Amino acid sequence: MEYLLTPMSEITNRITALQQLMQHQQMDGMFILQRADLFYFTGTAQDAFLYIPVDGPPLLMVRRFYPRARAESAIQDIVEIPSVKQIPRIIIDRYGTLPKICAMELDVLPVKDFRFYRKLFNTAKTVDGSALILKVRQIKSAYELDLMENTAARSAQTFEYMKSIISDGLSEMEFAARFEVFARKIGHAGHLRVRHFQSEGYAWHVLSGKNGSKVGLLDSPASGEGTSPAFPCGAGVKRLKTGEPIMVDMAWMCNGYHMDETRMFALGSMPPKALEASGAVREIHDAVIAAARPGVAIADLFDLSVRMAGGMGYADQFLGPPGYKVKFIGHGIGVELIESPIMAKGSPFILESGMTFALEPKMVFKDEFGVGIESVIQVTRDAAVLISRVPPEVFIC
Amino acid sequence: MEYLLTPMSEITNRITALQQLMQHQQMDGMFILQRADLFYFTGTAQDAFLYIPVDGPPLLMVRRFYPRARAESAIQDIVEIPSVKQIPRIIIDRYGTLPKICAMELDVLPVKDFRFYRKLFNTAKTVDGSALILKVRQIKSAYELDLMENTAARSAQTFEYMKSIISDGLSEMEFAARFEVFARKIGHAGHLRVRHFQSEGYAWHVLSGKNGSKVGLLDSPASGEGTSPAFPCGAGVKRLKTGEPIMVDMAWMCNGYHMDETRMFALGSMPPKALEASGAVREIHDAVIAAARPGVAIADLFDLSVRMAGGMGYADQFLGPPGYKVKFIGHGIGVELIESPIMAKGSPFILESGMTFALEPKMVFKDEFGVGIESVIQVTRDAAVLISRVPPEVFIC
C-alpha cells in the first residue's frame, strides 16, 4: 500500500466550496482543528490549526509535526508554531487583521477549549462553522468515491474471510477480533472516526442470537451485550451457536474513508422467521436504493421504508421494539463513520448527486434476535448505486 | 467472566467525596453525562444523565436503556426519560428547584451541547465541574485497585503471548492485531477511553526500527508511522526485522479499568546502543518508583528523571529529540487511559496514597529508533509499587 497523498485540486475545490458558503453567512474566517475536518481540508492529520479566510489562500499552522504536515499537505502556506499563542500574531501578519466574525467547530469543540481560543483570538463574534463544513463534506468528488470503492473492496474481502472462520463456540468478541486481524492486514486503520464526544466508535458490532434483540445505550435498533457494564454494547463474551441468527455489522477506515456494512450470518441454518425477516430488510434496502436519486427527499425514503415494513407485517419489529425505535434508516459516511445527512424521519435534506450513505434497515424481535442489512450507496446523477461489494445475501456457513 | 457490578458502597463513597468538594466551591448541583464519568459515579454506561445535588441523594435519568441501567447501577433513584426536555421538571419535582450554580463537564462538553443544556436548565450560572470529578477519580479505592490488578494480570499474559508470535516479516499492524485477538479473548473491551476530543485512543502503539524515532502528532516522544496520512501514528505497514529495536506500547480496558504498558522487544538481538538505552530507561523507571511516596511532588520526580537521563548522557534523546521533547514522564490512569494528575514538568500535584500512574520514560534516537518502558504503579501509604505484572525486561525473542 502506498502512503496516499490528497491531490492539490481536491484541497483547492473543498476550500473554495467552503469559502462560498462562508460568504453567504458573512463569516470573515474559520478555524479548523478537529482531526477529520483537518484531514479533509488539508490532507494531513498532524496536530495543526487551519485558518481559512473568507477569500484568499488558507494558512496551516502546525504544532506537531511540521515536516510531516509539509510532506502530506497540498496547502501552500504552512508554518510551524511552537505554541498556539502565536496564532493571532501570525494571522495578523498574513491577513492584516483577525476575523471579526470567526467560525469554529462548535459541535465538537469543548467549552473549555472554546473559551481559551475565544480569548486568544480576542474575537468580536464567534459562530458555529460545523454546519458548513458538514455541508461541503456531503458531496463526494470522484477522487473520494474512488477511495470509498477501495475501502469497499477490502471490506468485501473481509466479509468473505468471515465465512471461512465463523464457527460454533467462538465468542462474538473473538470472532470479531479475528476478522479484524485480516482487515488490518489489508489496510484497516484499526480506528474509526466518529464526531460526537459521546459516540465511541468500534468496528465489531457482532450480535448473535438473543444479543441481537438487546436494546442499549446506542442510537441503534439493538446495542448487543458488550463485555461489561463499562462498555455494554457490541460483541461480547457470548459464544456463537449453530442455528441462530448472527448479525455482523463491521466498519472500516482505510486512507481516512469509511465503510459500514451489515450482513446476517448463520451456522448451518437460521429459524425460518429470521430468514423471512432477513428477506424483508433486503426488500426494503433494495426499494430505498431503487427510489433514491437526486431531488428525492430523505424524509420520503424513510417513510417508504416504514410503510414497506408495516405492509409486510413488521411494524413492531422495524427499527427496534415499540417504544425504543430509532428514527433513521441510514447516515452519511465519508471521513467520518456517521456524517450529514442522516436518513432520518422528517429530514429536510434532498438527495444530491455525490452524496453517500450507509443504508441500514434493521429489525428487533424482542427477546429473540435481530436482523438487518447495511450497505454503502452513492447517489449518482440520475440514480443510486451500491458502493458496497459484499453480496447482499444471508450467509449460511 | 462475570458481568461485574459496581458495589453500592463504592458509588456512595465517590458521590459523597464529590459533594464535599462541591460544597467548598459553592456549587448547588452537578450534571454528569460523559461516559467514563457516568460509569464511575453510577456503575452504568447507558445513555443517561446523572444529577448530583450538593447534598442529598443523586438522581439518574436514563434516556436509553432504563432496564439495563437499573440492573447495572447501585443508584437508588433512577427514572426513565423519553426526552432530555423532561429533565428540568423532574429536577424540580425531586429537589424543589433547579440549581442556581450548576456544574457540568465543560472540558468535554461541546459548545453546541452546552448551549442547549444551559437554555434547557435556565441556569443562572454554569461552572466547570470536571476538575472536581477528576480530583475524586485520582484516589483509587481498594475495589478499583483490585480491578486494575485484574487488568494488569491479563495484560501480562498478553505480553507473554506477544513473545510467542513476534516474528520477522510480520507487519507492525498485523503483529498488533494478532495480540489484540488474544487480549480480547481474555477480556479486553476492544476499546479505550480517552478524555479530550482530539485524542484518538488505540491499543497498539507498535514502533519498530526507525519508526520508533518518528515524531508526529501525538504528545508522545514518538508517534510512529501509522497506516496513512489520515491516521499517521501507531503501528503501520512496516515489517518487523531481526536485529532492530521494537517498542510495543499496549493499552487495555477491562471492566472499565485501563492498563498502559511498554516493553522493548527484539528478534535475535538489538544494537548495543539500543540495549544500553533500554537499561537507562529502566534505571530511571526504577528510581522514580523508589522515590515516589505520599508527600513527594510530581515536579520533583520529573526533574529527577531528566537529571538522571542527563547524567547518563541521554539529554538529547530523553523524552524526544531536541525541540520536540514532551514535558511529562507519565500520567494518571483509571477509568480513562490518561487522567489527572499528569507527571509533568512543574506539576503542582503532590503524590497521595491511592493515586495510580502509567510511568513512561522514553527516548528517541533521531533517524535510528526509540526505546522506552512503561509500567502502571500505585502510590501506597508509604511507597509506590508496581501494579503492572509484565517483567520490566527487554524481550529478546
Side-chain angles (χ1 to χ4, degrees), chain B residues 32 38 58 80 98 142 147 150 152 190 234 257 274 293 305 307 332 353 355 359 362 371:
Chain B
I32 291 175
L38 192 76
E80 181 166 24
L98 285 167
L147 287 183
N150 181 292
Y257 283 81
R293 71 179 61 84
S305 74
R307 209 163 51 237
S353 174
M355 284 182 173
L359 169 66
K362 290 178 178 172
V371 300

Side-chain angles (χ1 to χ4, degrees), chain B residues 186-240:
Chain B
I186 61 169
H188 195 300
H191 193 81
L192 305 174
R193 289 214 163 102
V194 286
R195 193 163 186 89
H196 195 259
F197 83 111
Q198 292 282 56
S199 296
E200 304 186 292
Y202 57 89
W204 33 267
H205 197 60
V206 176
L207 277 49
S208 67
K210 272 196 185 179
N211 283 354
S213 70
K214 286 189 178 158
V215 176
L217 78 155
L218 302 181
D219 186 16
S220 174
S223 292
E225 184 161 42
T227 45
S228 83
F231 203 83
C233 56
V237 297
K238 180 187 165 302
R239 294 182 187 282
L240 307 180

Side-chain angles (χ1 to χ4, degrees), chain B residues 51-306:
Chain B
Y51 179 69
I52 303 180
V54 65
D55 52 65
L59 169 66
L60 183 60
M61 293 161 280
V62 184
R63 190 154 55 174
R64 191 178 177 100
F65 176 59
Y66 175 80
R68 291 174 80 158
R70 176 84 271 174
E72 292 164 355
S73 177
I75 299 274
Q76 293 295 294
D77 194 1
I78 309 185
V79 295
E80 181 166 24
I81 49 163
S83 157
V84 294
K85 293 193 177 151
Q86 305 181 319
I87 293 178
R89 186 187 53 71
I90 297 174
I91 298 287
I92 291 170
D93 272 6
R94 283 295 190 291
Y95 302 97
T97 175
L98 285 167
K100 277 181 198 68
I101 300 178
C102 172
M104 295 194 77
E105 299 148 301
L106 301 190
D107 64 335
V108 289
L109 197 66
V111 175
K112 193 175 170 184
D113 296 65
F114 169 69
R115 288 177 177 170
F116 171 82
Y117 292 121
R118 189 175 52 182
K119 195 174 166 195
L120 180 67
F121 303 150
N122 191 22
T123 307
K125 193 180 167 192
T126 315
V127 295
D128 192 358
S130 55
L132 305 195
I133 290 171
L134 294 173
K135 187 168 168 57
V136 172
R137 279 176 34 194
Q138 281 176 3
I139 309 299
K140 271 72 179 178
S141 68
Y143 171 80
E144 291 185 281
L145 292 168
D146 266 0
L147 287 183
M148 292 183 73
E149 282 169 18
N150 181 292
T151 309
R154 290 157 205 261
S155 178
Q157 278 180 264
T158 312
F159 272 86
E160 200 53 38
Y161 176 78
M162 290 176 197
K163 294 191 218 168
S164 71
I165 59 159
I166 191 168
S167 59
D168 194 290
L170 208 54
S171 76
E172 291 175 349
M173 186 53 107
E174 187 180 359
F175 174 52
R178 285 190 58 193
F179 65 67
E180 232 189 284
V181 173
F182 179 87
R184 291 203 207 164
K185 244 168 103 167
I186 61 169
H188 195 300
H191 193 81
L192 305 174
R193 289 214 163 102
V194 286
R195 193 163 186 89
H196 195 259
F197 83 111
Q198 292 282 56
S199 296
E200 304 186 292
Y202 57 89
W204 33 267
H205 197 60
V206 176
L207 277 49
S208 67
K210 272 196 185 179
N211 283 354
S213 70
K214 286 189 178 158
V215 176
L217 78 155
L218 302 181
D219 186 16
S220 174
S223 292
E225 184 161 42
T227 45
S228 83
F231 203 83
C233 56
V237 297
K238 180 187 165 302
R239 294 182 187 282
L240 307 180
K241 273 197 301 210
T242 297
E244 65 185 9
I246 301 167
M247 187 160 70
V248 180
D249 184 344
M250 195 213 173
W252 260 81
M253 179 165 84
C254 180
N255 290 313
Y257 283 81
H258 293 76
M259 275 292 122
D260 191 2
E261 297 165 318
T262 303
R263 292 294 183 268
M264 295 303 300
F265 283 74
L267 291 159
S269 65
M270 70 168 71
K273 188 172 163 184
L275 207 56
E276 278 159 34
S278 300
V281 289
R282 166 80 194 274
E283 272 188 56
I284 294 167
H285 166 272
D286 292 354
V288 170
I289 297 174
R293 71 179 61 84
V296 169
I298 285 178
D300 290 344
L301 294 177
F302 180 89
D303 293 345
L304 165 68
S305 74
V306 171

Side-chain angles (χ1 to χ4, degrees), chain A residues 331-354:
Chain A
H331 50 83
I333 183 167
V335 292
E336 286 178 314
L337 181 65
I338 298 169
E339 54 182 54
S340 174
I342 306 300
M343 299 182 93
K345 184 175 176 173
S347 163
F349 285 101
I350 305 296
L351 295 188
E352 292 178 49
S353 174

Side-chain angles (χ1 to χ4, degrees), chain A residues 169-393:
Chain A
L170 208 56
S171 76
E172 291 175 348
M173 186 54 108
E174 188 181 357
F175 174 52
R178 285 189 59 191
F179 65 66
E180 234 190 282
V181 174
F182 179 87
R184 291 203 207 163
K185 245 168 104 167
I186 60 168
H188 195 300
H191 193 82
L192 305 173
R193 289 213 163 102
V194 287
R195 194 165 186 88
H196 195 259
F197 84 111
Q198 293 282 57
S199 297
E200 303 187 291
Y202 56 89
W204 34 266
H205 197 61
V206 176
L207 277 49
S208 67
K210 270 196 184 178
N211 283 354
S213 71
K214 286 189 177 157
V215 176
L217 77 155
L218 301 182
D219 187 16
S220 173
S223 292
E225 185 160 44
T227 45
S228 84
F231 202 83
C233 56
V237 297
K238 181 189 164 299
R239 294 180 187 282
L240 307 180
K241 273 197 302 213
T242 297
E244 65 184 9
I246 301 166
M247 187 160 70
V248 181
D249 184 343
M250 194 212 173
W252 260 80
M253 179 165 85
C254 180
N255 290 314
Y257 283 82
H258 293 75
M259 276 291 121
D260 190 2
E261 296 165 319
T262 303
R263 293 293 183 269
M264 294 303 300
F265 284 74
L267 292 159
S269 65
M270 71 169 70
K273 190 173 162 183
L275 207 56
E276 276 159 35
S278 300
V281 289
R282 167 80 194 273
E283 272 188 54
I284 294 168
H285 166 273
D286 291 355
V288 170
I289 297 174
R293 71 179 62 83
V296 169
I298 284 179
D300 291 343
L301 294 177
F302 180 88
D303 292 344
L304 166 68
S305 73
V306 171
R307 210 162 51 238
M308 280 186 74
M312 290 186 278
Y314 293 110
D316 277 359
Q317 291 78 26
F318 192 56
L319 301 183
Y324 294 98
K325 291 184 183 300
V326 300
K327 295 192 176 70
F328 66 94
I329 53 162
H331 50 83
I333 183 167
V335 292
E336 286 178 314
L337 181 65
I338 298 169
E339 54 182 54
S340 174
I342 306 300
M343 299 182 93
K345 184 175 176 173
S347 163
F349 285 101
I350 305 296
L351 295 188
E352 292 178 49
S353 174
M355 284 182 173
T356 50
F357 296 95
L359 168 66
E360 50 172 339
K362 290 178 178 171
M363 296 183 183
V364 168
F365 290 77
K366 206 163 173 284
D367 299 326
E368 291 186 275
F369 52 77
V371 300
I373 186 169
E374 180 174 22
S375 302
V376 175
I377 63 171
Q378 160 199 354
V379 181
T380 62
R381 271 191 298 181
D382 53 4
V385 298
L386 286 166
I387 293 177
S388 288
R389 286 286 161 265
V390 191
E393 296 160 11

Side-chain angles (χ1 to χ4, degrees), chain A residues 77-140:
Chain A
D77 194 0
I78 309 184
V79 295
E80 182 166 24
I81 50 164
S83 156
V84 295
K85 294 193 177 150
Q86 305 181 320
I87 293 178
R89 185 188 53 72
I90 297 173
I91 297 286
I92 292 170
D93 271 6
R94 284 294 191 290
Y95 302 97
T97 174
L98 285 166
K100 276 181 200 67
I101 301 179
C102 171
M104 297 194 76
E105 299 148 301
L106 301 190
D107 64 337
V108 290
L109 198 65
V111 175
K112 194 176 170 184
D113 296 65
F114 169 69
R115 289 177 177 169
F116 171 83
Y117 292 122
R118 190 177 51 183
K119 195 174 165 195
L120 180 68
F121 303 151
N122 191 23
T123 307
K125 193 180 168 190
T126 314
V127 295
D128 191 358
S130 55
L132 305 195
I133 289 171
L134 293 173
K135 189 170 166 56
V136 172
R137 279 177 33 194
Q138 282 178 1
I139 309 300
K140 272 70 177 177

